Amino acid sequence: MAVTGSSHPCGVSPQAAIQSQLDGVRTGLSQLHNALNDVKDIQQSLADVSKDWRQSINTIESLKDVKDAVVQHSQLAAAVENLKNIFSVPEIVRETQDLIEQGALLQAHRKLMDLECSRDGLMYEQYRMDSGNTRDMTLIHGYFGSTQGLSDELAKQLWMVLQRSLVTVRRDPTLLVSVVRIIEREEKIDRRILDRKKQTGFVPPGRPKNWKEKMFTILERTVTTRIEGTQADTRESDKMWLVRHLEIIRKYVLDDLIVAKNLMVQCFPPHYEIFKNLLNMYHQALSTRMQELASEDLEANEIVSLLTWVLNTYTSTEMMRNMELAPEVDVGTLEPLLSAHVVSELLDTYMSTLTSNIIAWLRKALETDKKDWVKETEPEADQDGYYQTTLPAIVFQMFEQNLQVAAQISEDLKTKVLVLCLQQMNSFLSRYKDEAQLYKEEHLRNRQHPHCYVQYMIAIINNCQTFKESIVSLKRKYLKNEVEEGVSLSQPSMDGILDAIAKEGCSGLLEEVFLDLEQHLNELMTKKWLLGSNAVDIICVTVEDYFNDFAKIKKPYKKRMTAEAHRRVVVEYLRAVMQKRISFRSPEERKEGAEKMVREAEQLRFLFRKLASGFGEDVDGYCDTIVAVAEVIKLTDPSLLYLEVSTLVSKYPDIRDDHIGALLAVRGDASRDMKQTIMETLEQGPAQASPSYVPLFKDIVVPSLNVAKLLK
């Protein structure tokens, strides 16, 4: 039977598989043996390199001389390259100096740049090769030493041009353009050098020059000097020094900014924003100058001038709002020249000074007016013929001037000044009242002096009306709204004081009249009067004569004065009745006396109608009282006396029992029983007066007469 071999499941015999694995192991061992040999070779090579490096150290150190030679060669190569420039440095320096002196600034600057370029190139090479070699650096810097001097000299010329730039730009704008081009060149060099510094750390001497920054510093200093140099006078040499100073500033600044806007901007690169910068410089210089002025011990008018200029003129069309500066200048963006605190302090000082000045001015005005009161000549009359003095005009002209000034500064200050004027006016009128009273009293002590007392007292009275009208006019002109009106009206009213002065003045004039009438009034209701005295004729003539002068009194006061004179004459007439100067002894005497009283009442009525013509008032009532009293005296039937007296009492409620007693005594025929009945009836209560009734009898005192005596 034949033997067959069994097969592998994958079709490979076990012997083949084992053989394959042995081959793989053999291959791996061979590769490892090769790798080991390679490692040994590398190790041997590294050992050889290490041995060679140790052997070459000494050789490298021996090459220092070669290195120094290389550095020297590099320096010499740079020197050779710049040899021409180096040899020509003295000549270029001389040429540059000549060009600067000739004003050829662009050419001078070109040569200066060549010098600086040569110097900086050599110094950079030296720095790059051996930054620690200060000896060679100093040698190069010393050789180019004139370069810095030329740069400074050129800069000096540039600054001189810039200082006169506002003039130069009109006469020779190309010169200014040259200056700006030089500055712009230097700015570019500065930027390039600063960029290189970040990489190498090297910066040539004198860099960065920052000429653009210095240019703006020079311009700023020039602006400040220009502003400060406008003060031509002092207070000692010219009272208007500040006004002149501010006006010169206004003109110069406006002219300069117009030139800057129209001409200078064309000479500078746009990114310089030359007009904007100049505007800020002028604004700052002005602010500084205004602060300096504000800190001085200014007088009131100087404070006004300063504040008016700062708060109004500066931002007006006369200056910053001028059409030639638009639209570049926006007034709304400008900061205030003076802080609110400084303005407030100035206003406080102004108000304090103004208060003192107004008080002094008013006192002086009154003293001056008082001197006129004793003159031998009559006062002046206005266009309507009314006597007046210059006092109201002086006072309100002063108020007007101060209010106009205050209105220029601000509405708020205007209102404050008006309130101040009204306050001081109130105090002034109190003094005016006292002086007028003293004037009257001194005259009454010696009626011969002053000679024109009546005329000047009339002027004082008329002044009161002028003052009232002027106050109303002032308020109407300087108060524009109800709030301000309320502020003003909260001040003490002056109308009352003025009316009191006028009333006192009118009373003084009437006192003058009645002093002259006294003798003739004393004749009334006497035997002499009954026998044919012409006392009332003289009274009428005297009153009319005085009232010819009183025609120079303004209507409101003349009207009151006429009514008061009428009333007082009637009261004096009634007082004469109540004095029991006469006691009629017969019906004939009573009739004669009563008829005389009626005639004289008509005389007085005619007189005062004449004097009151044009006033449109009924003035007959006073004289009717004399007629009513005359009716009681004239009554022929004593039995009707009670009825007549009752009618009198009902018509004149202020009549008292002593008046009736005196009236009955003048009649001389009333029986004791009749007197008793009349008195008892009157004691039952007075009649009620009508609202329009003006009392007459309340001012009449019956001396040394009482009811007990009357009843005897």
Side-chain angles (χ1 to χ4, degrees):
M1 182 174 139
V3 180
T4 59
S6 62
S7 63
H8 191 273
C10 294
V12 179
S13 66
Q15 292 85 353
I18 291 170
Q19 185 62 42
S20 176
Q21 290 177 353
L22 288 174
D23 290 342
V25 171
R26 188 179 295 113
T27 301
L29 288 172
S30 176
Q31 289 176 344
L32 286 172
H33 179 73
N34 291 335
L36 179 62
N37 290 333
D38 289 342
V39 168
K40 288 179 179 179
D41 290 342
I42 292 170
Q43 186 177 10
Q44 183 61 43
S45 297
L46 288 173
D48 293 343
V49 169
S50 177
K51 181 181 178 181
D52 292 342
W53 178 74
R54 287 190 183 94
Q55 291 175 350
S56 66
I57 288 177
N58 294 332
T59 303
I60 293 173
E61 288 178 350
S62 67
L63 294 176
K64 183 176 185 299
D65 293 339
V66 176
K67 179 184 176 183
D68 292 342
V70 170
V71 171
Q72 187 176 10
H73 175 76
S74 177
Q75 291 175 339
L76 291 172
V80 169
E81 185 179 348
N82 291 281
L83 195 59
K84 182 179 179 181
N85 290 337
I86 291 172
F87 283 131
S88 62
V89 165
E91 182 183 354
I92 296 174
V93 168
R94 286 193 299 273
E95 291 176 353
T96 306
Q97 184 68 49
D98 291 341
L99 289 170
I100 291 174
E101 291 175 358
Q102 294 166 14
L105 303 182
L106 277 175
Q107 295 91 321
H109 184 249
R110 175 58 64 186
K111 290 186 175 294
L112 176 63
M113 286 195 300
D114 291 341
L115 287 170
E116 290 178 338
C117 184
S118 297
R119 180 199 64 185
D120 297 348
L122 288 170
M123 295 185 79
Y124 174 67
E125 287 299 327
Q126 176 61 41
Y127 176 85
R128 187 168 63 87
M129 298 303 174
D130 186 4
S131 61
N133 190 344
T134 57
R135 183 180 64 82
D136 288 349
M137 281 288 196
T138 303
L139 179 64
I140 297 171
H141 190 273
Y143 186 75
F144 286 89
S146 300
T147 304
Q148 186 60 46
L150 289 174
S151 178
D152 293 341
E153 183 64 27
L154 179 61
K156 184 178 178 181
Q157 295 300 315
L158 300 183
W159 309 151
M160 288 176 63
V161 172
L162 286 168
Q163 287 170 356
R164 299 193 296 267
S165 57
L166 289 164
V167 176
T168 303
V169 76
R170 302 184 207 190
R171 298 179 180 174
D172 186 7
T174 56
L175 179 57
L176 183 59
V177 171
S178 297
V179 169
V180 176
R181 288 179 62 187
I182 292 170
I183 292 171
E184 188 66 4
R185 286 176 186 172
E186 290 293 341
E187 283 295 299
K188 290 179 180 178
I189 296 172
D190 279 350
R191 288 195 296 270
R192 186 170 64 248
I193 287 175
L194 291 175
D195 288 342
R196 188 171 66 179
K197 177 188 175 184
K198 295 176 183 178
Q199 300 173 358
T200 66
F202 173 73
V203 178
R207 291 288 177 180
K209 291 186 179 180
N210 294 320
W211 277 8
K212 179 181 176 183
E213 181 181 334
K214 291 179 181 177
M215 176 196 76
F216 281 114
T217 301
I218 293 296
L219 287 174
E220 186 172 8
R221 190 181 307 137
T222 302
V223 167
T224 300
T225 303
R226 185 156 174 78
I227 297 299
E228 291 176 347
T230 55
Q231 183 174 343
D233 303 292
T234 62
R235 183 183 297 122
E236 290 70 23
S237 62
D238 186 355
K239 290 294 184 183
M240 299 299 289
W241 70 274
L242 184 56
V243 173
R244 292 169 60 85
H245 180 37
L246 293 172
E247 175 57 20
I248 293 171
I249 288 177
R250 184 200 67 78
K251 187 176 184 305
Y252 280 15
V253 171
L254 179 60
D255 290 347
D256 290 356
L257 289 177
I258 290 174
V259 169
K261 174 179 177 288
N262 296 329
L263 300 178
M264 284 188 70
V265 292
Q266 302 175 28
C267 301
F268 289 79
H271 66 273
Y272 275 50
E273 296 185 309
I274 190 64
F275 180 76
K276 178 181 177 182
N277 280 295
L278 278 173
L279 176 62
N280 290 335
M281 290 175 193
Y282 274 99
H283 182 77
Q284 186 56 49
L286 286 172
S287 180
T288 301
R289 183 56 184 153
M290 295 306 116
Q291 294 279 358
E292 292 171 353
L293 291 171
S295 65
E296 295 186 16
D297 187 16
L298 297 177
E299 297 177 355
N301 63 311
E302 293 169 349
I303 291 175
V304 168
S305 298
L306 181 63
L307 289 178
T308 301
W309 198 93
V310 168
L311 300 178
N312 298 316
T313 303
Y314 183 62
T315 55
S316 72
T317 55
E318 296 180 26
M319 203 167 176
M320 290 304 186
R321 213 184 290 272
N322 191 283
M323 290 300 296
E324 293 193 57
L325 296 179
E328 281 77 0
V329 177
D330 182 0
V331 174
T333 62
L334 296 175
E335 292 293 325
L337 291 177
L338 291 176
S339 67
H341 175 68
V342 173
V343 171
S344 178
E345 285 185 339
L346 285 173
L347 288 175
D348 289 344
T349 302
Y350 172 71
M351 289 300 293
S352 176
T353 305
L354 181 61
T355 301
S356 301
N357 288 345
I358 287 178
I359 291 172
W361 289 332
L362 289 174
R363 184 177 292 114
K364 183 178 180 181
L366 182 53
E367 289 301 318
T368 302
D369 206 54
K370 282 170 57 182
K371 292 177 182 178
D372 291 343
W373 297 355
V374 295
K375 284 183 177 179
E376 295 293 318
T377 55
E378 293 183 354
E380 295 181 358
D382 64 13
Q383 66 271 20
D384 297 318
Y386 298 118
Y387 285 138
Q388 63 178 3
T389 69
T390 57
L391 183 62
I394 292 173
V395 168
F396 282 92
Q397 183 180 12
M398 177 191 66
F399 286 171
E400 183 83 20
Q401 289 173 350
N402 284 287
L403 284 164
Q404 287 176 358
V405 166
Q408 292 175 4
I409 298 176
S410 69
E411 286 293 310
D412 181 59
L413 181 63
K414 178 203 68 176
T415 303
K416 287 181 179 178
V417 171
L418 178 58
V419 171
L420 171 63
C421 290
L422 294 176
Q423 286 175 331
Q424 295 306 320
M425 184 68 184
N426 196 65
S427 301
F428 165 76
L429 290 178
S430 295
R431 294 194 298 273
Y432 191 48
K433 181 174 182 289
D434 294 340
E435 294 296 342
Q437 180 67 25
L438 288 173
Y439 182 56
K440 182 184 77 171
E441 291 172 358
E442 289 175 3
H443 171 72
L444 290 177
R445 282 193 289 271
N446 178 9
R447 293 184 63 208
Q448 302 303 314
H449 182 80
H451 179 70
C452 295
Y453 166 78
V454 171
Q455 290 82 356
Y456 277 99
M457 184 56 78
I458 291 173
I460 291 172
I461 294 168
N462 288 339
N463 285 350
C464 293
Q465 181 65 19
T466 305
F467 276 128
K468 290 173 77 171
E469 293 169 354
S470 299
I471 290 168
V472 171
S473 175
L474 208 63
K475 289 180 180 180
R476 185 182 299 117
K477 183 174 181 179
Y478 289 99
L479 294 178
K480 295 183 179 178
N481 56 55
E482 294 180 1
V483 175
E484 289 181 339
E485 185 73 17
V487 170
S488 173
L489 294 178
S490 67
Q491 303 305 315
S493 173
M494 287 162 279
D495 285 356
I497 300 176
L498 289 166
D499 285 340
I501 296 172
K503 183 177 180 181
E504 192 68 30
C506 291
S507 176
L509 291 177
L510 288 178
E511 190 69 28
E512 191 79 2
V513 175
F514 282 92
L515 283 172
D516 285 351
L517 295 181
E518 185 175 10
Q519 174 186 347
H520 309 293
L521 290 171
N522 287 336
E523 284 187 14
L524 297 177
M525 302 305 292
T526 62
K527 283 289 186 182
K528 182 179 179 181
W529 168 79
L530 186 61
L531 293 173
S533 168
N534 61 349
V536 171
D537 294 336
I538 297 174
I539 289 171
C540 289
V541 170
T542 303
V543 169
E544 186 170 8
D545 184 53
Y546 268 104
F547 268 82
N548 285 333
D549 288 335
F550 297 164
K552 303 291 181 70
I553 298 176
K554 289 186 175 180
K555 188 173 182 178
Y557 299 124
K558 183 184 176 185
K559 177 180 177 181
R560 297 180 205 170
M561 194 171 180
T562 304
E564 179 59 26
H566 188 182
R567 176 182 177 279
R568 188 165 173 182
V569 167
V570 171
V571 167
E572 293 298 330
Y573 199 107
L574 295 174
R575 181 177 282 113
V577 175
M578 303 304 167
Q579 291 290 318
K580 197 191 171 187
R581 297 172 183 170
I582 188 172
S583 179
F584 297 114
R585 298 177 181 177
S586 65
E588 289 75 16
E589 277 192 359
R590 283 192 288 277
K591 180 180 179 183
E592 183 182 351
E595 288 176 350
K596 186 174 179 64
M597 288 175 66
V598 171
R599 288 195 304 272
E600 291 176 345
E602 290 303 319
Q603 267 186 278
L604 295 174
R605 192 195 308 275
F606 177 80
L607 169 66
F608 286 105
R609 277 180 178 174
K610 180 180 178 181
L611 297 180
S613 61
F615 294 153
E617 285 195 352
D618 179 16
V619 295
D620 291 347
Y622 296 140
C623 292
D624 287 343
T625 310
I626 298 175
V627 175
V629 170
E631 289 298 323
V632 174
I633 294 174
K634 184 180 179 181
L635 186 66
T636 56
D637 186 352
S639 62
L640 299 177
L641 191 58
Y642 166 73
L643 182 60
E644 195 68 36
V645 170
S646 298
T647 302
L648 183 67
V649 172
S650 63
K651 197 170 184 180
Y652 305 103
D654 62 322
I655 199 167
R656 301 188 301 272
D657 54 0
D658 55 348
H659 295 138
I660 299 301
L663 182 56
L664 294 176
V666 170
R667 270 189 61 89
D669 67 338
S671 65
R672 182 174 180 180
D673 291 341
M674 177 61 70
K675 292 177 183 177
Q676 187 71 33
T677 301
I678 291 172
M679 292 301 177
E680 289 175 354
T681 303
L682 293 175
E683 288 174 359
Q684 292 177 4
Q688 293 296 321
S690 67
S692 61
Y693 175 67
V694 179
L696 294 174
F697 290 94
K698 71 180 184 63
D699 296 332
I700 300 173
V701 177
V702 180
S704 303
L705 192 63
N706 55 50
V707 177
K709 290 183 179 180
L710 289 173
L711 295 177
K712 290 182 180 179

